[in-house]
Amino acid sequence: MPEKQSQRQQRKQKQDATPETYEYIVVGAGTAGCVLARRLSEDRTHRVLLLEAGRPVPAEPVPAPAAWPSLLGTAADWGGTTVPQNTGGSPIPWPRGRGLGGSSAIGGMTFLRGHRSGCDAWTAGGAKGWGYDDLLPYFKRSENVTGVRRRDPASRGTDGPLRVAPAARRHRHPLAQAFLAAAVQAGHPRACDLAAGLETGFGWADLAIADGARQDAARAYLRPVLGERANMRVITDAFVQRLLLDETGTSPRCTGVAYTVADETPAEDAPRHASSHTARCSPGGEVVLTAGAVGSPRLLMSSGLGPREHLQDVGITAHLDLPGVGCNLQDHVVSGVVHRSARPVPESENNHAEVQGLMRSDPRATTCTAPDLQLGIADLPVRAAGLPGPGPGAGYTITVALLSPYSRGTVRLADADPATPPSIDPCYYADHHDLGLMTAGLRAAREIGMAPALALWRGEEELPGRDIADEEGLRAYLRSNLHSAHDYAGTCAIGTDTDAGAVVDTELRVRGVDGLRVADASVMPTIVSANAEATVYAIAERASDLLAH
Ligand SMILES: Cc1cc2nc3c(=O)[nH]c(=O)nc-3n(C[C@H](O)[C@H](O)[C@H](O)COP(=O)(O)OP(=O)(O)OC[C@H]3O[C@@H](n4cnc5c(N)ncnc54)[C@H](O)[C@@H]3O)c2cc1C
């Protein structure tokens, strides 16, 4: 063998025997994962590995913002459903992003911080350092609202990676304008900057859309630095199956991950094969889970970190009994009042949901300022399969979402195989308070729907229908027309040592395990009171500081 070739081979063998190690292994290149990979790799002495189960791009060509629902069910979506819910037994679709950008790459692009009371409730519950004022610098650091009038730089960011703004005036949907006027006529306050998290009332929501294009975590955070940082490595099609644990010390230490990489698809319909790999942390390095509110607890449990009894049931040896993993699952449940439109509804140039309102179900309550309902306008009919009503272009919906659900659900493993989809049970309406709050929301939506400003649009109320007015009828309707807002949260909650349900401490370290953190939507102790994405960006921004210091 020629000498040069033999030297090359020896070098390669040596590299294989001493695989590269990383200061940070980030699992899941979704909303939080893209933020962390970018921030952690800013220090060029840190080697960062970002592993993502999905493909590099969500779909080709990436559809215009208004076509976002067409991404659901594609390769960019894990395509899961819940177990049958108490609504007559139907599973509910539970899309989750799969690919660079994760759910931010397939989501609805409404960009609102939860009302400040949501984060303040976390600190009141023991999550010290996670109140609204603590998170404010991180909310600001993620966003760029430059050029938007009526945005106060004291509360809004002007140089973050993510460009956000309300729908531009010339592209606003006429129904959204009429809805906003109708809400004010119905007595609701007009909010100036709903996205700041400081107000209740109705107003133009910020959208993660700039120059007519979706702004997701991959586009904003990752792509600008991809290829420019030798210390950051991104592997797609890489499904992390389990965490590597060293149990020789007093407490287990996470030392890396085991993952498979799917081969390039050779041809249509050909089965994809996968090769097995491990990635290891350098001494003192850490694994950070950003696999989302389903993916992170799933991976912990597949690795033997979770509720002991459940792990035993599915045949997994429990390395640590962490009862809170996969519990405390929360989501915003959505329904609404569907109207036939008296005139054709123009196609949306944005995300179908430009105006939102945060309100209290009981406006007389003075002791609490936290909004518990979110009402909005959708320029299309929002109805479950099988329900009657107008088709697209012929109807609209005043949507109602429950911001502060009492019900709690679970993410559970179906078996010991890490590749088997987990069992997801959000337990919608399991707590009777939730239906009561939602019927109050339907009544408020009806009132706005009958306001003069919507007169030109208003046709028949198709759902629930004017003849359904009593509490029982409205509750039955809510059970039949039930949707998820896809704001899944809470399954690896932050908490204190005395809180048996806490999965991570206030620095996001998994309790009882060294070298392992969770930093995504799953760490919210309670779901925020608006769409979740803006808060996930802030959580990840803060996590990057916690990791770096
Ligand atoms: C259809 C839809 C619409 C939405 N609309 C809005 C909206 O309009 N406004 C809003 O604020 N919020 C919206 N949301 C919610 C918002 O997108 C999420 O709250 C947020 O993106 C969650 O971020 P995350 O980082 O926790 O998880 P994700 O962004 O979901 O990222 C998790 C990533 O981890 C990867 N992963 C999971 N398991 C593994 C594994 N084992 N190995 C490797 N990789 C793995 C996934 O593929 C994914 O890329 C929507 C969500 C969906 C699904």
Side-chain angles (χ1 to χ4, degrees):
M1 182 184 301
E3 200 183 334
K4 264 201 174 152
Q5 200 180 336
S6 130
Q7 276 171 359
R8 260 205 311 270
Q9 219 168 49
Q10 275 171 15
R11 244 195 338 261
K12 169 131 193 4
Q13 273 164 6
K14 195 167 161 212
Q15 272 170 8
D16 289 347
T18 53
E20 201 174 2
T21 59
Y22 302 89
E23 274 68 35
Y24 302 110
I25 298 175
V26 181
V27 178
T31 311
C34 289
V35 175
L36 275 152
R38 168 159 168 170
R39 295 299 187 201
L40 294 173
S41 62
E42 276 166 7
D43 180 338
R44 304 303 164 94
T45 63
H46 289 158
R47 278 154 306 166
V48 178
L49 174 64
L50 178 62
L51 295 169
E52 168 54 45
R55 317 303 307 268
V57 286
E60 285 292 358
V62 178
W68 70 265
S70 69
L71 287 166
L72 309 187
T74 66
D77 172 13
W78 287 82
T81 59
T82 66
V83 302
Q85 295 298 290
N86 63 359
T87 57
S90 306
I92 307 294
W94 252 52
R96 289 175 290 131
R98 180 182 179 132
L100 295 186
S103 297
S104 73
I106 66 167
M109 293 159 285
T110 300
F111 192 82
L112 295 176
R113 292 174 197 168
H115 185 262
R116 66 166 297 144
S117 52
C119 299
D120 288 343
W122 300 352
T123 39
K128 203 165 161 268
W130 288 92
Y132 180 83
D133 292 334
D134 302 308
L135 277 180
L136 182 58
Y138 300 102
F139 279 120
K140 291 175 70 177
R141 195 163 90 178
S142 68
E143 65 183 13
N144 178 345
V145 295
T146 325
V148 182
R149 280 174 56 233
R150 306 174 89 183
R151 297 290 183 260
D152 179 359
S155 56
R156 302 302 306 274
T158 51
D159 55 5
L162 192 75
R163 292 169 64 200
V164 296
R169 274 175 197 281
R170 63 184 183 288
H171 298 301
R172 287 179 177 172
H173 200 286
L175 244 173
Q177 318 223 27
F179 171 75
L180 181 52
V184 173
Q185 286 171 344
H188 296 279
R190 171 80 166 81
C192 186
D193 177 10
L194 211 51
L198 300 170
E199 293 170 279
T200 56
F202 284 67
W204 296 96
D206 278 13
L207 309 176
I209 299 175
D211 300 330
R214 169 192 291 276
Q215 302 297 298
D216 59 57
R219 178 191 274 255
Y221 276 86
L222 199 62
R223 294 195 198 283
V225 297
L226 259 186
E228 284 187 6
R229 293 187 181 172
N231 61 327
M232 181 176 78
R233 185 169 177 213
V234 182
I235 308 180
T236 51
D237 279 324
F239 176 68
V240 177
Q241 295 194 309
R242 65 188 170 82
L243 305 169
L244 305 178
L245 296 172
D246 174 0
E247 298 192 86
T248 53
T250 44
S251 47
R253 175 167 199 95
C254 184
T255 55
V257 300
Y259 64 100
T260 55
V261 176
D263 301 335
E264 289 292 310
T265 315
E268 276 301 280
D269 299 333
R272 295 183 89 193
H273 298 285
S275 49
S276 298
H277 305 262
T278 55
R280 294 198 179 269
C281 297
S282 51
E286 296 196 50
V287 171
V288 188
L289 302 189
T290 50
V294 173
S296 290
R298 174 191 189 185
L299 186 51
L300 287 172
M301 290 188 283
S302 292
S303 310
L305 305 172
R308 186 184 299 281
E309 270 184 33
H310 169 58
L311 297 183
Q312 273 165 0
D313 287 348
V314 292
I316 291 178
T317 307
H319 296 289
L320 192 70
D321 184 20
L322 275 174
V325 174
C327 296
N328 191 44
L329 175 62
Q330 294 157 66
D331 184 22
H332 295 136
V333 63
V334 180
S335 191
V337 176
V338 180
H339 280 267
R340 190 167 288 281
S341 179
R343 45 168 65 187
V345 178
E347 283 187 14
S348 172
E349 293 183 61
N350 292 294
N351 69 338
H352 307 286
E354 298 166 18
V355 169
Q356 298 290 327
L358 303 178
M359 58 173 279
R360 281 202 54 76
S361 54
D362 179 1
R364 289 159 306 172
T366 50
T367 49
C368 175
T369 54
D372 52 10
L373 291 171
Q374 180 170 351
L375 267 60
I377 182 79
D379 50 54
L380 33 79
V382 176
R383 57 186 162 88
L387 287 180
Y396 60 92
T397 309
I398 301 180
T399 54
V400 179
L402 178 59
L403 293 181
S404 52
Y406 285 76
S407 305
R408 298 287 182 269
T410 52
V411 173
R412 288 287 174 250
L413 298 179
D415 58 37
D417 182 349
T420 307
S423 162
I424 299 166
D425 187 358
C427 295
Y428 292 123
Y429 298 140
D431 187 300
H432 71 279
H433 288 97
D434 291 351
L435 273 169
L437 290 165
M438 284 294 279
T439 56
L442 281 184
R443 292 183 204 281
R446 268 185 168 161
E447 213 176 307
I448 296 172
M450 295 309 290
L454 278 164
L456 285 176
W457 295 94
R458 193 164 45 237
E460 276 299 293
E461 180 189 301
E462 295 276 348
L463 292 171
R466 292 306 299 178
D467 50 331
I468 298 182
D470 65 330
E471 190 69 14
E472 204 182 322
L474 290 177
R475 287 179 180 225
Y477 165 70
L478 285 167
R479 288 179 188 279
S480 68
N481 198 14
L482 182 161
H483 307 265
S484 164
H486 315 305
D487 293 324
Y488 329 130
T491 47
C492 299
I494 308 174
T496 57
D497 281 351
T498 53
D499 175 0
V503 174
V504 296
D505 67 12
T506 53
E507 301 212 347
L508 305 181
R509 294 176 292 223
V510 175
R511 290 171 65 199
V513 186
D514 294 330
L516 181 61
R517 304 204 204 205
V518 184
D520 56 23
S522 63
V523 303
M524 297 181 195
T526 46
I527 194 166
V528 285
S529 49
N531 314 63
E533 198 169 290
T535 307
V536 175
Y537 280 108
I539 289 171
E541 286 279 11
R542 178 145 200 266
S544 70
D545 272 6
L546 291 172
L547 277 148
H549 298 119

